[in-house]
């Protein structure tokens, strides 16, 4: 369904700049935007609030089925879970880490699959995540795997948090990002990996504008 509607997928590790770049591309093209990480993060919030154990796969699947999630439009879309704005809660590193623990479960991923595919609407979609080009939109027309060195990703994230007034140790942050990446790469279901037909973009020494232009150029190739 909707297979003819164009999709650009951006997959890659934490802190590579996927969110910023994806939103800018969606805006430039007038396409829809899917932040699939926000869906997984919202589920983590739901799990915490319900007091469900991180090992209780059936309980987590139930919450995933019941979760009433919507995105409000804006430069950075607000995330609304069951009527509450959880945008701030889902951006913490703690939430990211819990999220990567529940994201390893196949039945949980299966339950969220349809929710993500519903974002494929005309005139097009930019989808950001870990398995967008390999699983969710495996037939996407434009695929990017966006990465950057671990050191660069940690220092970008550190700067972002600092700007928000959150002071954390750079070494601790680098370790957390590394752990999260390892869980995302090593899981057996839909691990983070570059699709065979994706273009690799290493943003370590590129400006955001350069990355955006590199991705937009794919539409002309
Ligand atoms: O992209 P973001 O950092 O918000 O993702 C948070 C976590 O959600 C990732 O570390 C990963 O474990 C999980 N995730 C996923 N598949 C996606 C998007 C996110 O497993 N498509």
């Amino acid at each position: 369904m909707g297979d003819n509607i164009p999709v650009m997928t951006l997959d890659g590790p934490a802190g590579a700049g996927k969110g910023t770049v994806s939103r800018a591309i969606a805006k430039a093209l007038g396409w829809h935007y899917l932040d699939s990480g926000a869906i997984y993060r919202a589920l983590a919030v739901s799990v915490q609030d319900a007091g469900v154990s991180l090992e209780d796969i059936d309980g987590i699947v139930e919450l995933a089925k019941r979760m009433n999630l919507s995105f409000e439009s804006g430069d950075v879309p607000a995330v609304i879970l069951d009527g509450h704005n959880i945008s701030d809660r889902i951006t913490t590193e703690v939430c990211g880490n819990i999220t990567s623990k529940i994201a390893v479960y196949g039945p949980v991923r299966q339950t969220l699959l349809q929710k993500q595919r519903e974002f494929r609407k005309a005139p097009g979609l930019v989808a950001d995540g870990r398995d967008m080009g390999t699983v969710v939109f495996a037939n996407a027309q434009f695929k990017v795997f966006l990465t950057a060195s671990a050191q660069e990703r940690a220092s970008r994230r550190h700067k972002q948090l600092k700007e928000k007034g959150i002071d954390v140790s750079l070494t601790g942050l680098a370790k957390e990002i590394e752990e999260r990446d390892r869980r995302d790469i090593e899981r057996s279901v839909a691990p983070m990996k570059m699709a065979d037909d994706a273009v690799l973009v290493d943003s370590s020494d590129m400006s955001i504008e350069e990355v955006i232009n590199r991705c937009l150029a794919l539409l002309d190739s």
Side-chain angles (χ1 to χ4, degrees):
M1 206 182 69
D3 284 357
N4 296 327
I5 296 172
V7 179
M8 180 182 286
T9 59
L10 279 99
D11 290 307
K18 298 187 305 289
T20 310
V21 170
S22 303
R23 282 193 300 271
I25 295 171
K27 199 171 178 189
L29 296 173
W31 287 7
H32 299 279
Y33 167 57
L34 165 62
D35 176 1
S36 61
I39 297 182
Y40 282 93
R41 284 172 183 260
L43 179 58
V45 166
S46 203
V47 167
Q48 275 186 305
D49 287 355
V52 166
S53 147
L54 298 185
E55 272 88 54
D56 179 2
I57 306 179
D58 291 343
I60 300 172
V61 166
E62 261 323 296
L63 287 174
K65 283 184 186 158
R66 286 209 311 260
M67 182 165 69
N68 181 8
L69 186 68
S70 58
F71 293 87
E72 263 176 15
S73 55
D75 267 354
V76 178
V79 182
I80 314 293
L81 175 68
D82 299 326
H84 300 284
N85 187 333
I86 57 160
S87 308
D88 286 342
R89 287 183 70 190
I90 64 167
T91 48
T92 66
E93 290 304 304
V94 173
C95 180
N97 275 318
I98 295 174
T99 303
S100 71
K101 289 181 185 164
I102 61 172
V104 300
Y105 300 133
V108 171
R109 305 196 69 87
Q110 187 61 34
T111 307
L112 296 178
L113 207 50
Q114 194 49 34
K115 264 193 210 312
Q116 297 173 78
R117 289 189 173 144
E118 282 165 9
F119 280 77
R120 191 174 197 166
K121 286 187 190 141
L125 173 70
V126 181
D128 144 12
R130 302 289 183 291
D131 61 343
M132 297 294 99
T134 49
V135 177
V136 182
F137 303 108
N139 60 0
Q141 295 86 340
F142 314 100
K143 298 185 185 179
V144 174
F145 192 83
L146 183 60
T147 188
S149 70
Q151 201 190 352
E152 179 62 27
R153 292 187 284 116
S155 75
R156 282 183 197 167
R157 185 78 184 125
H158 189 250
K159 194 168 157 244
Q160 257 178 9
L161 290 172
K162 238 185 159 165
E163 278 164 9
K164 281 194 200 163
I166 306 167
D167 206 7
V168 293
S169 104
L170 181 59
T171 327
L173 191 60
K175 203 165 149 261
E176 271 175 18
I177 289 182
E178 221 169 86
E179 264 173 36
R180 180 142 73 94
D181 287 349
R182 189 179 39 75
R183 257 196 304 274
D184 288 346
I185 291 168
E186 290 180 356
R187 70 180 173 225
S188 57
V189 186
M192 170 173 72
K193 68 167 192 234
M194 183 167 141
D196 293 338
D197 50 352
V199 171
L200 177 67
V201 178
D202 184 333
S203 71
S204 306
D205 298 313
M206 290 170 86
S207 69
I208 290 178
E209 285 69 31
E210 284 172 323
V211 177
I212 293 167
N213 289 334
R214 176 82 187 81
C215 296
L216 285 172
L218 294 181
L219 295 164
D220 304 322
S221 57

